[in-house]
Amino acid sequence: MTRTLILFQVFFITSCLTAADRPNVLFIMSDDHTTQAFGCYGSRLAELNPTPVLDKFASEGMVFDNAFATNSICTPSRACVLTGQYNHVNGVHDLGGRIEKGRQYLALEFGKAGYQTAMIGKWHLKEEPAAFDFYSVLPGQGKYFDPVFRTQGDKKWPNNTIEFKGMHSTDAITDQTLKWFKEERDQKKPFFLMHHYKAPHDFFEYAPRYEEYLQSTEIPEPESLWSQPKFGSIATLGANGELKPHIGTSIGRRNPRRNYVKHYELSDGFDDEAAKREAYNIYLKHYLRCVKGVDDNLGRLFAYLEESGQMDNTVIIYTGDQGFMLGEHDYMDKRWMYEESQHMPFLIRHPKSIKAGTRSDAIVENVDYGPTMLAFAGIETPEYMQGKSFKQICETGQEPKDWKQAAYYRYWMHMAHHDNPGHLGIRTKKHKLIYYYGCDYEGENQTPPGWELYDLEDDPKEVVNQYDNPKYKQTVEELKIQLAELRKQVKDDGTDYPKAEKIVQEFWDYDEEDRFKAVEISHKHRTKMNSAGN
Ligand code: CA
């Protein structure tokens, strides 16, 4: 057979896939919905049955147990999904990042392949989602109540708006997606829809109908909320614990600048323990009521897809943009590389190609989601994407021979909002090595550099830092080499912020001199905090 004929056949087969054979792709993402707040991930909160709809959905498809955010915060994670690139490549290092039309790659690629594309809900990438055929998005974080959406119309972006008076954002987002299905769908084309909830992002304003939900329930607590004598390092605790009040915002009164006792105004009449317990319960109940709203709304969405005969010919993914700390280690929010924050939920259902009730422990990252969705549509991963498709893992349960065995992590927003130092690290199936280099983009505002190693088989809750345990000396050395290699591979070569990179390199080997310096930096930071009145 001639080359031309083969090429013609390949073309013919591919173009035959363009119409009815191509599955629809529905990407559902909530904001900050963490794996602890699911039934199917089996955490301490599973007994509260927080997500019956999602658990049923999970049982009909595959659950990923090792899906990770490469930078655990909203805008950067969304940019990773949309571009298939790490943040040091797509440039969205922090909440100020934006993705303009020409780089809204997933929409562009699906569009080129003949898909009808839409983006509904929380977008958070600033620019007009102009690469989508249809959009209706919240401005920035958007509002929980009476939400306003920016959409298409006669006026220039961002001036066409619709307001949903008297409604909760989760209900309004579902309503708009259902409306899009009923009024905007072009039945001649398969669709690619991104359906993104704002919930359960802070400050967890739930719809009034959930006021009674969990009202008289004591929420199970993580042990590390109270005691974790071997957790952390000088980087997270300071020398001899002197920075405990200043690193990581807290549930109890530990961090005087920002904690939930203060936020919920519980200060009078509660001792520290009672205040922390009360704050934890309020925090978790508000959060779980928002989750309930998402779960119930997905019930509505899935019921519509069933009725309209679209449930089974659609590849449906459910995820959160990252995980979230629900009081583990006495932390709130995300940003950390600790498991609860780095770990993303990832559920996928497509009965034609994915077996029901399956799980995978393959390591997948948010940069891989785009290539995977494209693969289900028969579209090859474009060169400029760094992620890889894991469609084969979804379909066979097996990792291809050369599949990645480690996830890369980097959080850039040194000490912003929740007092988390800048850090990077590597996560394998067995270990997690975290390097707190502790400075901002310009190498300034230093916090003590330090390393933490967690043995995920013996210590899945990450409460024993093994970095200085002689038993793990070789593991540390090997992981550092692997981490340096991984940085090269993902192209985080430090050239975008050379002053920060200088510090990353300076404390890499962490010899006696580095440790001495870290103590000095710790004292200096404590003095600075004390004089700032914190
Ligand atoms: Ca988020």
Side-chain angles (χ1 to χ4, degrees):
M1 220 179 325
T2 66
R3 199 180 136 78
T4 324
L5 185 57
I6 293 169
L7 279 177
F8 175 76
Q9 285 189 332
V10 169
F11 175 76
F12 185 72
I13 291 163
T14 324
S15 49
C16 277
L17 271 175
T18 51
D21 301 336
R22 291 196 169 188
N24 304 306
V25 178
L26 169 55
F27 181 78
I28 308 170
M29 185 158 73
S30 296
D31 199 323
D32 297 356
H33 189 186
T34 186
T35 53
Q36 305 97 289
F38 279 74
C40 61
Y41 278 104
S43 80
R44 69 178 191 280
L45 303 173
E47 65 187 70
L48 303 175
N49 190 23
T51 51
V53 172
L54 279 167
D55 296 342
K56 178 175 178 287
F57 174 83
S59 74
E60 294 163 355
M62 183 176 259
V63 176
F64 279 79
D65 286 313
N66 283 325
F68 299 110
T70 57
N71 179 2
S72 174
I73 188 154
C74 308
T75 304
S77 179
R78 286 154 202 273
C80 288
V81 172
L82 196 65
T83 63
Q85 299 169 336
Y86 293 88
N87 295 135
H88 46 267
V89 171
N90 64 36
V92 183
H93 300 81
D94 55 37
L95 296 174
R98 47 177 72 224
I99 297 283
E100 71 284 355
K101 181 182 177 185
R103 294 193 300 144
Q104 293 166 12
Y105 294 135
L106 269 190
L108 295 172
E109 294 294 343
F110 272 108
K112 268 198 297 194
Y115 272 69
Q116 184 186 14
T117 60
M119 163 70 229
I120 296 169
K122 186 168 174 184
W123 165 246
H124 216 196
L125 289 164
K126 292 192 172 64
E127 303 271 348
E128 178 181 14
F132 292 83
D133 296 326
F134 176 91
Y135 66 81
S136 184
V137 297
L138 294 168
Q141 298 281 4
K143 293 189 295 176
Y144 267 117
F145 290 103
D146 305 323
V148 174
F149 292 79
R150 291 173 175 166
T151 187
Q152 286 119 320
D154 304 336
K155 297 177 213 150
K156 228 178 141 217
W157 164 269
N159 296 319
N160 288 296
T161 56
I162 11 166
E163 189 182 3
F164 287 74
K165 266 265 172 246
M167 282 190 84
H168 187 270
S169 82
T170 307
D171 302 331
I173 290 165
T174 312
D175 279 7
Q176 286 183 88
T177 288
L178 294 175
K179 188 166 181 273
W180 177 79
F181 273 116
K182 289 167 191 166
E183 296 175 8
E184 304 282 341
R185 268 291 286 135
D186 176 351
Q187 298 298 339
K188 293 192 293 297
K189 293 177 169 180
F191 70 79
F192 169 59
L193 168 65
M194 299 184 95
H195 170 84
H196 293 182
Y197 290 117
K198 167 185 171 61
H201 191 277
D202 73 12
F203 289 99
F204 325 112
E205 296 166 40
Y206 51 87
R209 63 182 182 273
Y210 299 111
E211 190 64 44
E212 309 276 300
Y213 176 60
L214 298 172
Q215 207 175 50
S216 52
T217 307
E218 275 286 306
I219 308 295
E221 295 165 350
E223 260 179 64
S224 60
L225 176 63
W226 300 103
S227 168
Q228 43 173 3
K230 293 175 177 173
F231 169 76
S233 62
I234 189 172
T236 44
L237 308 169
N240 298 313
E242 69 181 345
L243 298 181
K244 277 186 191 175
H246 308 302
I247 308 244
T249 48
S250 56
I251 310 302
R253 292 179 175 128
R254 178 179 53 77
N255 185 325
R257 191 187 71 78
R258 189 163 181 183
N259 64 65
Y260 275 127
V261 173
K262 191 171 164 184
H263 179 81
Y264 293 123
E265 299 174 347
L266 299 173
S267 298
D268 299 334
F270 283 104
D271 65 24
D272 284 355
E273 187 183 322
K276 191 189 211 177
R277 178 158 289 128
E278 181 68 11
Y280 169 80
N281 270 275
I282 298 173
Y283 173 35
L284 269 281
K285 284 177 191 183
H286 285 212
Y287 180 88
L288 290 168
R289 285 168 189 162
C290 281
V291 167
K292 194 73 181 158
V294 167
D295 198 66
D296 284 346
N297 269 283
L298 288 176
R300 284 208 293 148
L301 177 58
F302 295 156
Y304 172 77
L305 292 172
E306 287 283 5
E307 280 159 32
S308 58
Q310 298 177 88
M311 190 74 184
D312 290 350
N313 58 9
T314 303
V315 176
I316 307 176
I317 288 168
Y318 182 83
T319 185
D321 56 349
Q322 7 63 211
F324 210 64
M325 310 302 298
L326 295 178
E328 298 83 8
H329 314 290
D330 189 30
Y331 290 144
M332 61 164 92
D333 207 67
K334 53 262 182 180
R335 303 160 193 261
W336 296 108
M337 195 187 163
Y338 300 120
E339 202 64 1
E340 295 81 2
S341 160
Q342 185 191 14
H343 188 191
M344 303 171 90
F346 191 92
L347 318 174
I348 183 164
R349 182 189 187 279
H350 184 232
K352 287 181 181 165
S353 65
I354 302 171
K355 253 206 192 136
T358 47
R359 293 188 95 97
S360 170
D361 72 346
I363 289 181
V364 299
E365 298 174 286
N366 53 2
V367 293
D368 302 318
Y369 298 176
T372 305
M373 290 189 266
L374 292 173
F376 272 102
I379 307 164
E380 252 187 66
T381 305
E383 287 267 321
Y384 56 78
M385 287 195 178
Q386 294 177 287
K388 301 260 182 299
S389 161
F390 53 94
K391 174 171 171 271
Q392 193 186 325
I393 301 175
C394 299
E395 291 175 342
T396 65
Q398 304 296 318
E399 293 178 35
K401 260 210 299 279
D402 57 348
W403 189 253
K404 68 177 86 177
Q405 295 302 309
Y408 185 64
Y409 189 82
R410 182 152 190 187
Y411 174 74
W412 297 81
M413 297 177 70
H414 179 64
M415 299 306 276
H417 310 116
H418 287 275
D419 307 342
N420 319 68
H423 58 293
L424 54 85
I426 182 169
R427 205 270 192 206
T428 66
K429 285 185 187 173
K430 289 186 175 157
H431 298 104
K432 183 179 293 181
L433 181 69
I434 310 175
Y435 176 23
Y436 291 98
Y437 56 91
C439 67
D440 61 21
Y441 296 111
E442 296 308 317
E444 301 290 333
N445 188 24
Q446 269 186 284
T447 55
W451 290 81
E452 297 178 12
L453 172 74
Y454 295 96
D455 181 329
L456 302 170
E457 283 178 345
D458 291 355
D459 176 30
K461 303 249 187 285
E462 304 175 328
V463 286
V464 185
N465 175 11
Q466 301 284 15
Y467 185 83
D468 285 324
N469 181 346
K471 218 182 99 191
Y472 288 88
K473 191 165 178 281
Q474 199 187 339
T475 306
V476 165
E477 280 168 16
E478 285 167 7
L479 282 170
K480 276 195 187 182
I481 294 168
Q482 211 183 331
L483 174 57
E485 275 303 308
L486 190 52
R487 293 193 75 207
K488 277 189 213 155
Q489 204 186 308
V490 303
K491 300 190 167 65
D492 187 12
D493 57 8
T495 47
D496 44 358
Y497 293 106
K499 288 177 184 160
E501 183 62 18
K502 202 170 156 243
I503 289 175
V504 169
Q505 294 305 328
E506 183 183 349
F507 294 90
W508 190 275
D509 61 347
Y510 214 57
D511 59 15
E512 285 313 306
E513 197 192 331
D514 293 337
R515 287 169 192 256
F516 182 77
K517 260 196 189 168
V519 173
E520 286 190 320
I521 294 167
S522 173
H523 294 340
K524 213 174 134 192
H525 191 68
R526 186 202 54 198
T527 309
K528 187 175 145 190
M529 289 290 108
N530 289 350
S531 58
N534 284 313

